[in-house]
């Protein structure tokens, strides 16, 4: 069977096959992991189309039996179907424009389409700015004028984008016949948004590097435990609540450090900083909140981390923290669990389907409850074994959930089932 994938980023394998400088592996790990697991299967011919602006012209290449297409935009998707002639189309993600266009083109050709749920944009849009004071969420006319000159991250602009993506997701799912997901959370969303669709369960395969090498070990951190947050640059990841959870921890562990993967807020000096603050209100809010709480000196941004560096960041931490206000099945949590890192996460979205509270980690209640988050972190950090028992149980769970061979077999079985039903 010949399956055409459509993804919303240029994968490292595609960049290499098409002669480009290798794309970053910072994001899209669930795609590279599943792709690696599927390579070399005799029952599957795979063409992967990546939508990205890495080249002004379409590119094509082949590597390890997979054909790759890099598309500079959304033009030519109908022509792509005509040329590739797949038996089935698999859309990874629901909200981006190319997915909707290829979905329509495939339906016109009576091709079956499998839609893969990644996040649930409806929920992301609803909770994007939870807990952020209203003044930071509203831009002024001068802010918007400045943003047109120097694009920033105005929260009302970001909210409008998320709302539009949620609408695109709803429109695509309303027309969908086959959907794949992996949590009770996304299954409920599909029941609402795609009531006529058949739902298939298929877990994610993560980046290959996280299945090998040394595992996390507890250390004697004394007064200086290390907390790791994988992303903190927009409010959905809820850095602001984690900042509020730090003061009680610092009373007990006065040299504790919060490490945040990614770029720090821009610092352009006293002349330009007021302009930067206007363009990046969430960063401004977190900077001010950290100063008010007296925790600014305990925060360290690592800069962007590739897979190897992110792996080491997990191993160097004493606990991984995921306080997000919306998630489906976060890859960062899966990677931490695979390495046996003790994890503390909010009870948002599909997180409880990945991590069982008290057995494989700590899952605290409302995402914005800083006191509950602080208590959960303190429980793990003060455990006699340093959280090692939780980490071992988390790894055992993750090895099952993210088993590469099982997930590849499951996905190919879904493809076969759909094609058999379409034939009947």
């Amino acid at each position: 069977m010949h399956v055409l994938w459509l993804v919303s980023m240029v994968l490292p394998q595609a960049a290499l096959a098409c002669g480009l400088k290798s794309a970053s592996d910072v994001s899209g790990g669930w795609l590279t992991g599943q792709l690696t697991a599927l390579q070399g299967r005799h029952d599957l011919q795979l063409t992967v189309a990546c939508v990205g602006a890495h080249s002004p012209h379409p590119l094509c290449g082949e590597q390890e039996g997979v054909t790759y297409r890099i598309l500079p935009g959304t033009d030519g998707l109908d022509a792509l179907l005509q040329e590739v002639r797949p038996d089935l189309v698999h859309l990874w993600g629901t909200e981006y424009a190319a997915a909707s266009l290829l979905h329509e083109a495939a339906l016109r050709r009576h091709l079956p389409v499998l839609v893969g749920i990644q996040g649930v944009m409806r929920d992301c849009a609803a909770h994007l700015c939870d807990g952020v004071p209203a003044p930071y969420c509203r831009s002024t006319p001068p802010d918007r004028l400045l943003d047109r000159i120097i694009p920033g991250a105005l929260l009302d602009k970001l909210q409008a984008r998320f709302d539009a993506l949620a609408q695109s997701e709803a429109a695509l799912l309303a027309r969908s016949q086959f959907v794949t997901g992996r949590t009770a959370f996304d299954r409920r969303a599909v029941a609402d948004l795609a009531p006529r669709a058949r739902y298939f369960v298929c877990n994610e395969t993560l980046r290959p590097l996280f299945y090998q090498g040394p595992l996390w070990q507890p250390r004697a951190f004394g007064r200086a435990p290390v907390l790791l947050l994988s992303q903190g640059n927009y409010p959905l990841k809820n850095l602001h609540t984690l900042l509020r959870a730090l003061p009680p921890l610092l009373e007990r562990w006065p040299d504790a450090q919060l490490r945040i993967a990614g770029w720090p807020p821009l610092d352009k000096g006293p002349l330009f900083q007021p302009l930067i603050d206007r363009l990046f209100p969430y960063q401004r809010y977190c900077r001010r909140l950290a100063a008010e709480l007296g925790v600014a000196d305990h925060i360290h941004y690592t800069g962007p981390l590739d897979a190897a560096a992110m792996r080491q960041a997990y191993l160097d931490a004493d606990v991984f923290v995921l306080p997000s206000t919306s998630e489906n099945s976060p890859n960062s949590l899966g990677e931490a669990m695979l390495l046996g890192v003790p994890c503390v996460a909010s009870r948002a979205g599909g997180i409880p389907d990945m991590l069982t509270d008290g057995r494989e980690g700590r899952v605290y209640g409302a995402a914005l409850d800083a006191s509950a988050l602080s208590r959960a972190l303190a429980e793990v950090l003060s455990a006699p074994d340093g959280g090692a028992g939780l980490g071992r149980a988390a790894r055992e769970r993750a090895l099952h959930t993210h088993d590469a061979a099982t997930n590849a077999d499951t996905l190919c079985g879904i493809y076969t089932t759909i094609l058999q039903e379409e034939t009947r």
Side-chain angles (χ1 to χ4, degrees), residues 169 241 403:
E169 172 190 73
T241 296
D403 182 82

Side-chain angles (χ1 to χ4, degrees), residues 84-418:
V84 173
R85 296 184 179 277
D87 300 309
L88 181 147
V89 173
H90 186 170
L91 305 176
W92 291 85
T94 56
E95 71 278 5
Y96 56 107
S100 179
L101 291 171
L102 187 60
H103 189 260
E104 292 173 1
L107 293 182
R108 285 196 300 270
R109 294 176 178 274
H110 305 290
L111 284 172
V113 180
L114 175 64
V115 176
I117 296 286
Q118 291 176 180
V120 177
M121 287 307 305
R122 178 181 68 173
D123 197 70
C124 291
H127 297 289
L128 175 62
C129 294
D130 284 2
V132 179
Y136 293 92
C137 300
R138 294 193 299 263
S139 60
T140 65
D143 295 336
R144 294 189 287 275
L145 177 61
L146 182 61
D147 181 73
R148 286 197 290 270
I149 302 170
I150 309 171
L154 301 178
L155 289 184
D156 48 3
K157 183 178 76 171
L158 186 62
Q159 183 68 66
R161 179 171 174 267
F162 270 55
D163 290 341
L165 292 175
Q167 291 176 4
S168 296
E169 172 190 73
L172 185 145
L173 287 174
R175 305 190 303 271
S176 297
Q177 187 177 1
F178 304 106
V179 177
T180 179
R182 58 212 157 269
T183 66
F185 168 67
D186 71 41
R187 189 165 197 156
R188 288 192 297 270
V190 170
D192 282 346
L193 298 170
R196 295 177 296 174
R198 179 170 178 186
Y199 180 92
F200 296 92
V201 176
C202 184
N203 287 316
E204 292 179 315
T205 297
L206 303 179
R207 292 181 284 187
L209 191 60
F210 290 88
Y211 294 84
Q212 57 197 32
L215 303 178
W216 180 87
Q217 297 294 330
R219 65 190 186 97
F221 51 73
R223 293 159 46 100
V226 173
L227 316 180
L228 178 65
L229 179 70
S230 61
Q231 221 274 43
N233 284 334
Y234 70 114
L236 200 70
K237 299 302 180 181
N238 204 15
L239 169 60
H240 47 289
T241 296
L242 181 52
L243 295 178
R244 294 188 182 279
L246 288 181
L249 296 175
L250 291 172
E251 291 179 8
R252 187 167 180 180
W253 295 283
D255 297 323
Q257 183 181 109
L258 170 61
R259 293 180 185 167
I260 305 171
W263 291 115
L266 291 173
D267 187 352
K268 293 297 183 181
L271 182 60
F272 293 105
Q273 194 60 43
L275 296 178
I276 296 300
D277 285 346
R278 301 303 307 181
L279 289 169
F280 296 91
Y282 183 63
Q283 286 78 0
R284 179 173 88 249
Y285 171 54
C286 287
R287 189 201 300 263
R288 290 182 178 177
L289 182 60
E292 291 169 4
L293 295 168
V295 302
D297 292 341
H298 297 268
I299 300 169
H300 171 69
Y301 286 84
T302 67
L305 302 178
D306 63 14
M310 191 68 208
R311 189 186 198 285
Q312 190 60 48
Y314 287 119
L315 297 180
D316 292 340
D318 296 295
V319 61
F320 173 69
V321 197
L322 188 77
S324 304
T325 56
S326 178
E327 294 281 1
N328 185 21
S329 58
N331 293 291
S332 58
L333 178 59
E335 290 175 348
M337 292 173 68
L338 279 173
L339 296 177
V341 184
C343 299
V344 172
S346 65
R347 194 176 297 278
I351 289 173
D353 284 356
M354 295 181 66
L355 190 72
T356 304
D357 182 40
R359 188 170 72 202
E360 297 146 358
R362 284 305 321 274
V363 181
Y364 74 98
L368 299 179
D369 189 341
S371 296
L373 173 55
S374 189
R375 288 193 300 271
L377 288 167
E379 265 190 49
V380 174
L381 292 174
S382 61
D385 66 352
L390 294 174
R392 285 192 298 270
R395 173 170 166 78
E396 184 178 349
R397 171 79 174 270
L399 285 171
H400 173 75
T401 302
H402 303 294
D403 182 82
T406 298
N407 295 340
D409 287 343
T410 298
L411 186 56
C412 285
I414 292 170
Y415 293 157
T416 300
T417 298
I418 292 172

